[in-house]
Amino acid sequence: MLRNRYFLRLWSAHATSTFGDEVYALAVPLIALQIGGTAPVMALLTACALLPHVVFGFVGGVYADRADRFRILRTSYIASFAILLSTLVVFASSGRDVRLVTLAATALALAAVAAFSTASVDSLIPSCVEADQLARANSSTEAARTVAMVAGPAVAGLLVAKTSPHTAIALNALSFLFAFAVLYGLNAPRSAVLTEPISKGRDTFLANLREGLSYLYRSRPLFIGVVLSTVTNLVFGAYEAILIFHLSRDVGLSTAGVGLLFAAAGGVSVVTATVLSWRAPSRGFARVMTVSIALQGVGAAVTATSTLFTIVLGQILVSATTVSYTVYWRSFRQAVCDPALLGRVSGACRSIAYAGAFAGALLSSLLLGLVEDVAVLLLCSGIAVASMGILGRLLLRDRPRRQKKRSAPVGDTGTREEETPTA
């Protein structure tokens, strides 16, 4: 794939912008705290970064199917650069209250724009690589994301503490400018350009949106995948807060110890994604996806114990299988979905995933106030997720699928069968 100029430039732009985003994601609450913001303000800023994904994922998916996806990416990156540049101007000339409002508005705007870019990246990957390289390509983008998630917070803390808030904002702005420059002048592969209208005779936004959602509902493998994804995100949206409470209160682990545990788990995620980008199996997407879900549940259930060693092992298992599940769920839907609808399907899946995670976070605050024995909550969470993985394995079967020989990297432009991917 290193010789594939489409994928290499797409990956470089995605990796750079993702790193800038992860630095900025932690920098925002730190900046708010530094300029006098309260805990509720910090929580509000976090919500502002999450909620637009729920709504705009659908919108971004529709537009990813309506236009040149590389053009959408370039527009998204330069728009994000402009948003952050405006934020820098405001920070240089305004007081505390205006700065806090600007941080919230910036978080909302960046998240809305990100819905367009992420849907375009997801739907471009199968157009840029061969079918047997899907898992490796998705593993490579996931590796970039996990590295950013591990390194980003450390860089953010250093920048905010040692320099000024302007530095973290400027770094993210430059990351988007670099991503735009990497993709500048790059035309989409032939297979990424739609050869006919995506909605014959009804080429309106709402009609396109309905068409995508209807396709997602009618496609049995995709619908099952979305249900599995939603339940898993709902449970794990609540899981992290419950685990931290369990580690602090029941196990007696210090704040530094909790941070070290999650840092170690993050390192495992990086290693897993890196190994998969090198040696990811190119077959059995449904099998790997559902087994990963089941193992996530096993890992979550293990963290219900009171022994630190077993909790560490459980969290490592959760981290490793979360990466493999993410890679193979993305590869699975790319292989199953009609290419002309892939943007809408990817955008809808992302919106539903964020909605599930957000609902799970709200659920955790309710459960922690009602249930005294949080170990029971962890055990029940693990059993629920493991059961979903087993159910998914029974319902989703990998079947052989006839494939046309394709010339790299453009691929074919025909529709794909609504079947599970190549076994």
Side-chain angles (χ1 to χ4, degrees), residues 347-415:
C349 289
R350 189 173 298 276
S351 289
I352 294 169
Y354 271 97
F358 185 73
L362 295 179
L363 181 63
S364 68
S365 63
L366 176 64
L367 291 175
L368 287 172
L370 296 176
V371 179
E372 179 66 23
D373 190 353
V374 294
V376 173
L377 292 177
L378 291 172
L379 181 61
C380 291
S381 298
I383 292 173
V385 173
S387 300
M388 291 302 297
I390 294 170
L391 180 62
R393 185 72 194 100
L394 295 174
L395 294 176
L396 291 176
R397 296 290 182 182
D398 291 299
R399 302 174 185 174
R401 188 165 60 84
R402 294 187 300 273
Q403 294 181 346
K404 296 180 180 179
K405 185 176 180 60
R406 308 191 315 173
S407 59
V410 294
D412 61 75
T413 57
T415 58

Side-chain angles (χ1 to χ4, degrees), residues 248 252-261:
S248 300
L253 197 62
S254 65
T255 302
V258 172
L260 186 61
L261 186 151

